[in-house]
Amino acid sequence: MSDTPSDIGPQAAASRITVADYLLRRLRELDVEHLFGVPGDYNLGFLDRVTAFPGLTWVGTCNELDAAYAADGYARLRGAAALVTTFGVGELSAVNGVAGAYAESVPVVAVTGMPATEVAAAGRPVHHTLMDGEYGRFGRMFAEVTVARADLTATNAPAEIDRVLRAMWRERKPVHLNLPTDVVLAQVPASSGPLIVPDAPADPGLVRDFLAGCARMLDGARSVTVLAGHEAERFGLRGPLGDLLAAAPVRSAVFSSGKGVLDETAPGFVGAYTGEISDKRVRAAVEDADCLILVGAPVSDSVTGGFSHHFTPERTIELRPGRAAAGRGVFEGVDMAEAVGGLAGLLRDSGLPAPEGYGELFAYPEVEEEETGEGLRAGLTQRQLWGAVGEFLPAGSVLVAEQGTAFYGAQEVPLPADGRFVGQPLWGSIGYTLPATLGTELAAPDRRSVLVIGDGSLQLTAQELGTMTRYGAAPVVIVVNNDGYTVERAIHGATAPYNDIAAWDYTALPAAFGAGPGTVAVRVETPAELADALALAARTPDELVLIEAVLPREDAPQLLTALAQRFAEQNAYGD
């Protein structure tokens, strides 16, 4: 990150600067180039500064929830993101998306345009309040789903902006800033140094003790497996993990939340681990390893098959943000990247033997299609859909998978070289991925995003197709039309009316939302039609492509079916 005055904003070399420009300069230091949100009369003055600021683009979404989703997707590829709402009605609309970013460790700053300082201090019953003179209530709501927040004033703005943004960067979770209308143009001293300063190194003795504990666990081990989760991705461990896996012939796997953080073409990769419902090869690699190294991989029901994982602390080395554990020994204050580097050194000197099959290119298990009296079904199936998606994905592309059938189908899609993956298995807010794909497209325009989303989920946020075309995003959007909420049907209520949805004409949506004549929108019902549609998508890399894929209502990925059964048991639903 740089703090070069010439490329991060107006008045950069001046001794004083507006609060708005101070905040925007800091966001540019975090590599933020787009701000998402919806205008409201309490943020219009700030938006004037946003639209005038060199290097920044305002992205107006259809609602504030979608702005939060888009910022979340943007931050997963850029490292940070920002959204802007108005007080009360706007910020509360965004809370669900900010909560999802908190659950999934995504660094997003939510900026709320507040009524003027004197108005709030007097408790005047102005619009967008609850008419009771209480102005702190909404901020307290945000305090529950952020790691830091501040009410900015002309006096405290520089210090509070820096404190809050540093907390966001340090903990990789969302933060919140209230910006009153009269504070936007207040003059404050310009920053004199960079926003992000290196953390003080951990106590060398602490790191030494941790690595000594790891060495004891690795001594005599004949098999080691690395299991990575989403925190490894958020904290930038893709490169260090690659070095770790290259240090010795170890097996590697991911939780579904961490898909994409490891190179799936590397020797030793065995797939996604989901507890007892995992493929037997993955279970054996994780559960039978003499030593298991967990990297940024907190457990939850959705990534462990309903808490059906089997590994004990005695044979587990665990790395989490700010702490590490070697067996039962816990070491607070150990940095994950430093710990990964130290472990790579230990493995390099370990003389670990290569496990059986090490070096063979990983391939997801083949599953036979169900046969009918007329042979294989002529219509498109989940298995055929995901096979075609896997073959289509361009190098460096971003596979975005909506929670439900799409997310669990995507777990068995091999990512291409330098590919990325975006999903939300921990928070699981349906509709998240379409606005998130807007974010990934703008964050990394050189990487084409390929979104697979269910018909039910799409109906929550479909209007952002219009925002995509407005800002030149050109993803491939595959709508899985299986007539309703298939994931909910798999859990409970297979024929219940509450799992039904309206029958939309999905291929008509891009034009209805303002897409230009070059946009591709097709409906496919067979493998051949899907292959033709994806070939067309490959020939039109600069156009939004929507493919409506019609699948049977009851068809679902095997992983989802097994997990749905566990969720049904967990929720105490009867037969």
Side-chain angles (χ1 to χ4, degrees), residues 120-187:
R124 295 175 186 169
V126 299
H127 60 284
H128 297 340
T129 72
L130 298 182
M131 301 297 126
D132 60 0
E134 171 59 76
Y135 279 73
R137 183 179 283 109
F138 307 140
R140 292 194 296 273
M141 293 181 184
F142 268 93
E144 295 295 325
V145 293
T146 58
V147 293
R149 63 169 309 280
D151 298 321
L152 299 181
T153 68
T155 302
N156 73 11
E160 287 293 83
I161 288 170
D162 287 0
R163 176 185 67 83
V164 168
L165 293 182
R166 284 170 179 152
M168 177 186 75
W169 185 254
R170 181 176 60 253
E171 301 190 43
R172 302 303 201 273
K173 286 184 181 289
V175 294
H176 178 230
L177 293 172
N178 271 335
L179 179 57
T181 57
D182 59 312
V183 175
V184 171
L185 298 182
Q187 294 285 317

Side-chain angles (χ1 to χ4, degrees), residues 81-85 94 98 108-112 142 146 168 174-178:
L83 66 140
V84 183
T85 68
V98 174
V108 171
V109 55
V111 181
T112 297
F142 268 93
T146 58
M168 177 186 75
V175 294
H176 178 230
L177 293 172
N178 271 335

Side-chain angles (χ1 to χ4, degrees), residues 458 465 475 477 479 506-507 509-510 519-522 544-548:
L458 179 84
L465 289 168
V477 179
V479 182
Y506 294 100
T507 58
L509 293 180
T519 301
V520 176
V522 295
L544 186 148
V545 175
L546 184 144
I547 301 171
E548 177 190 355

Side-chain angles (χ1 to χ4, degrees), residues 446-482:
D446 56 328
R447 298 177 180 271
R448 196 173 198 187
S449 294
V450 180
L451 165 64
V452 186
I453 182 170
D455 49 353
S457 295
L458 179 84
Q459 291 193 9
L460 272 73
T461 53
Q463 63 269 43
E464 299 306 339
L465 289 168
T467 312
M468 289 178 174
T469 61
R470 179 183 176 194
Y471 289 94
V476 177
V477 179
I478 301 174
V479 182
V480 178
N481 181 356
N482 49 11

Side-chain angles (χ1 to χ4, degrees), residues 107 261 373:
V261 71

Side-chain angles (χ1 to χ4, degrees), residues 146-312:
T146 58
V147 293
R149 63 169 309 280
D151 298 321
L152 299 181
T153 68
T155 302
N156 73 11
E160 287 293 83
I161 288 170
D162 287 0
R163 176 185 67 83
V164 168
L165 293 182
R166 284 170 179 152
M168 177 186 75
W169 185 254
R170 181 176 60 253
E171 301 190 43
R172 302 303 201 273
K173 286 184 181 289
V175 294
H176 178 230
L177 293 172
N178 271 335
L179 179 57
T181 57
D182 59 312
V183 175
V184 171
L185 298 182
Q187 294 285 317
V188 294
S191 60
S192 58
L195 173 65
I196 303 303
V197 294
D199 292 331
D203 177 3
L206 180 69
V207 177
R208 185 170 55 250
D209 290 346
F210 163 68
L211 292 176
C214 295
R216 288 190 293 271
M217 295 181 67
L218 292 169
D219 184 30
R222 305 296 291 173
S223 60
V224 175
T225 296
V226 174
L227 177 58
H230 69 282
E231 290 174 345
E233 177 73 67
R234 304 296 187 271
F235 283 82
L237 297 183
R238 181 184 300 273
L241 276 174
D243 295 338
L244 174 67
L245 298 180
V250 300
R251 291 189 177 96
S252 61
V254 293
F255 277 148
S256 60
S257 61
K259 184 175 175 66
V261 71
L262 300 182
D263 180 0
E264 298 188 1
T265 66
F269 183 75
V270 295
Y273 175 75
T274 320
E276 292 178 355
I277 62 178
S278 308
D279 176 75
K280 63 182 180 180
R281 296 174 302 170
V282 189
R283 285 194 65 184
V286 171
E287 298 176 2
D288 298 340
D290 292 338
C291 183
L292 177 66
I293 302 175
L294 289 173
V295 183
V299 302
S300 72
D301 59 347
S302 56
V303 302
T304 60
F307 301 113
S308 65
H309 56 294
H310 296 284
F311 38 83
T312 61

